[in-house]
Amino acid sequence: MWLRPACAVQRLAVRTLHVSASSTQRAPLTLNGIEHPTDDYTNIPASILRRVHPAPQLPYLDGQPLNLLRTEIERILGPKYESIRAPSPVVSTRLNFDELGFPEDHPGRRPSDTYFVNRGTCLRTHTSAHQMETFRANHLRWLLTADVFRRDEIDSSHYPVFHQMEGASVWDEAAFAPGGSVEKECEAMEAQLAQAQMEIADDVSLDEAGGWQPQHLAQSPRAAELTVRHLKATLNTLVYGLFQPRWAVESEGGEPLKVRWIPAFFPFTSPSFEVEVWFRGKWLEILGCGVVQQPILNRAGLADKVGWAFGLGLERIAMVLFSIPDIRLFWSEDRRFSSQFCRPADGTLPLMTFKPYSKYPPCYKDISFWLPGSFHENDLFETVRDCAGDLVEDVACIDQFVHPKTKRESRCYRVNYRSMDRNLENEHVNALHAAVLDRLRREFRLEIR
Ligand code: DAH
């Protein structure tokens, strides 16, 4: 989510990985047969380009836990929600940020966090990038699934490509009338939830959640209130449907499932919330949601509608539900992975736990260097990922000090190379690591110690 804490290291200048520093005569980039000009923001390495369509779409593949999860969410929410498969991940920054109300200085807009094709075009960083177009195409109730791209750290739960599902439901005034369809649906869902083995903590004040939007207060307070009620009933139903079967097994049927609503902030909703589930001893963040900012619906040609939206990360949930220990496994083509995720004949979500098929030995290599004037950790992570692909398991900063005299800062990062499906030869790892060091020296002028 965008709510993660700001990176400790401030990015001072924009690094471009594949385009020369001169501002003219940069090679265009062809993505999905469309040629895009490049500029000083272009920062998509080859390892990511390979993942841009027409790459395989995991949530639609057989033997994919993400496919099982997507279809289970669609089943729980039911056929009223249109299932939409997202188009190409190459989107305008207008759709990804501007239309959604992201301020100019939002960290998500930085090339340290986002992959840019050029200043006006990026790889979508979230499925919310498709809200505007989807509403404009007059889809009123939908679930849209897509791959999203973010520059980030490397560990067992972060991968630069992952998958999100965006959901939305909007209605016109008549539906909000007393006894109208929204109220009826709320009552039906609430009656079901009242029978559920679930404890819902929801004492978020409206102020904490960002308050009602001025247009709703002035014109449609009842619609906004019912929207929140419907949003809560829908998402409580979803969370219960997803987690209860597993929870019942793990808690041996003893305790109710615990869900809590907490206040949040998103530029494109108000009020805004996050939903968390208590699972294996901690609160797990499941999704972000809220009442769609009315100007978005107005600009999409749906000025007469009010409604809600949510967004969730599929890997995060699948890793918990199926006990998948490493996010790289989703990309594995090993039959030992996919054969475990076949759909049962009755179409339900299998209540299964992933059986790790092996753990090959790790191989640690350190990178110590003096920090140059401008450097962002994500550049280092990206370089390692680009050279070593899925053979890198994690990269962590293990030491950091400032030289007392020169005041220069030194850092040491430890790279853990480990394959998911074979033993890595020492020579192979040495060659990979040498390539990493070489690129760090050449492209970022890192003074390796
Ligand atoms: N796009 C948000 C993210 O990636 C998630 C999100 C939050 C989507 C709230 C929504 C929403 O539709 O209403 O962090």
Side-chain angles (χ1 to χ4, degrees):
M1 298 265 169
W2 292 114
L3 303 172
R4 64 177 177 240
C7 213
V9 191
Q10 269 293 321
R11 185 185 181 83
L12 301 172
V14 172
R15 268 294 313 169
T16 61
L17 289 174
H18 283 269
V19 186
S20 77
S22 74
S23 58
T24 52
Q25 296 194 334
R26 296 164 194 279
L29 204 55
T30 302
L31 295 167
N32 300 322
I34 298 173
E35 196 172 277
H36 297 268
T38 53
D39 60 24
D40 60 330
Y41 260 47
T42 310
N43 65 351
I44 312 182
S47 56
I48 297 299
L49 285 177
R50 276 195 294 277
R51 301 266 190 232
V52 176
H53 292 213
Q57 292 300 298
L58 306 188
Y60 296 89
L61 295 185
D62 282 341
Q64 249 301 332
L66 299 180
N67 189 354
L68 296 176
L69 181 58
R70 173 186 63 83
T71 45
E72 179 65 1
I73 296 173
E74 291 173 352
R75 189 192 65 78
I76 295 169
L77 292 181
K80 286 196 177 115
Y81 293 81
E82 245 179 293
S83 167
I84 301 178
R85 204 170 157 154
S88 159
V90 181
V91 297
S92 64
T93 50
R94 181 179 66 78
L95 288 176
N96 199 79
F97 299 117
D98 304 340
E99 291 283 15
L100 297 167
F102 278 75
E104 279 304 321
D105 60 353
H106 193 280
R109 289 185 183 259
R110 295 185 203 143
S112 56
D113 289 38
T114 294
Y115 292 106
F116 284 90
V117 177
N118 54 46
R119 279 180 178 261
T121 315
C122 61
L123 300 183
R124 67 179 153 239
T125 60
H126 56 169
T127 42
S128 306
H130 295 290
Q131 274 198 15
M132 181 56 91
E133 298 164 309
T134 309
F135 286 135
R136 186 166 285 138
N138 214 31
H139 296 292
L140 304 181
R141 222 164 189 197
W142 46 269
L143 297 170
L144 176 145
T145 305
D147 43 1
V148 300
F149 297 73
R150 290 188 200 172
R151 299 188 80 208
D152 218 327
E153 60 209 89
I154 301 184
D155 63 26
S156 62
S157 62
H158 288 88
Y159 199 79
V161 190
F162 59 102
H163 297 82
Q164 288 189 332
M165 183 187 267
E166 190 89 1
S169 190
V170 299
W171 300 267
D172 55 24
E173 211 183 314
F176 291 109
S181 66
V182 181
E183 197 169 77
K184 282 216 183 88
E185 284 184 24
C186 288
E187 283 164 2
M189 288 187 283
E190 287 160 359
Q192 288 283 320
L193 288 167
Q195 312 284 318
Q197 287 287 308
M198 175 160 63
E199 218 174 85
I200 304 167
D202 176 10
D203 49 13
V204 180
S205 80
L206 208 69
D207 271 358
E208 290 175 298
W212 299 117
Q213 297 170 37
Q215 190 176 335
H216 293 159
L217 271 183
Q219 293 168 18
S220 47
R222 179 182 162 83
E225 263 172 53
L226 268 175
T227 297
V228 170
R229 185 172 157 201
H230 193 279
L231 169 71
K232 290 187 169 173
T234 305
L235 296 181
N236 285 330
T237 303
L238 174 62
V239 169
Y240 188 70
L242 281 180
F243 285 90
Q244 171 60 22
R246 261 250 81 92
W247 175 255
V249 174
E250 294 195 14
S251 70
E252 292 167 357
E255 281 174 59
L257 181 74
K258 287 197 198 68
V259 176
R260 75 176 181 194
W261 286 70
I262 55 175
F265 172 80
F266 302 102
F268 36 93
T269 47
S270 193
S272 306
F273 311 91
E274 277 179 359
V275 179
E276 298 184 336
V277 177
W278 180 256
F279 213 72
R280 305 209 180 113
K282 54 179 186 237
W283 287 106
L284 188 76
E285 183 187 311
I286 301 293
L287 55 82
C289 63
V291 178
V292 180
Q293 281 287 355
Q294 201 56 38
I296 296 178
L297 291 177
N298 296 351
R299 284 198 302 278
L302 300 180
D304 58 334
K305 310 270 193 294
V306 173
W308 54 250
F310 74 84
L312 54 79
L314 291 175
E315 276 86 346
R316 186 193 288 233
I317 298 176
M319 286 176 84
V320 173
L321 284 182
F322 303 122
S323 304
I324 298 172
D326 190 308
I327 194 165
R328 290 176 297 166
L329 282 161
F330 291 99
W331 298 90
S332 160
E333 284 168 7
D334 198 312
R335 284 279 307 151
R336 287 174 296 175
F337 182 73
S338 53
S339 63
Q340 297 193 31
F341 294 100
C342 294
R343 187 186 306 282
D346 67 0
T348 57
L349 189 71
L351 201 58
M352 56 88 59
T353 300
F354 172 66
K355 289 177 209 63
Y357 33 86
S358 60
K359 193 92 173 154
Y360 291 89
C363 182
Y364 297 105
K365 299 274 171 198
D366 291 351
I367 309 174
S368 301
F369 57 92
W370 294 109
L371 214 59
S374 67
F375 171 74
H376 192 291
E377 277 191 317
N378 282 353
D379 289 331
L380 179 127
F381 299 150
E382 181 95 59
T383 306
V384 179
R385 186 83 84 182
D386 211 29
C387 292
D390 286 0
L391 299 180
V392 52
E393 181 162 299
D394 60 56
V395 181
C397 185
I398 55 165
D399 190 32
Q400 191 167 5
F401 74 89
V402 175
H403 191 282
K405 287 220 178 90
T406 62
K407 302 284 178 247
R408 292 179 81 193
E409 186 180 338
S410 165
R411 295 252 181 101
C412 181
Y413 286 83
R414 177 156 294 170
V415 184
N416 173 8
Y417 296 95
R418 191 207 307 250
S419 167
M420 214 78 73
D421 40 33
R422 65 199 149 93
N423 228 333
L424 287 180
E425 304 276 337
N426 230 338
E427 274 166 36
H428 185 186
V429 175
N430 286 342
L432 289 175
H433 197 65
V436 169
L437 295 182
D438 183 52
R439 276 195 41 192
L440 290 173
R441 277 197 199 96
R442 278 190 293 114
E443 294 185 10
F444 302 97
R445 304 217 157 70
L446 286 198
E447 210 181 303
I448 310 283
R449 301 179 54 218

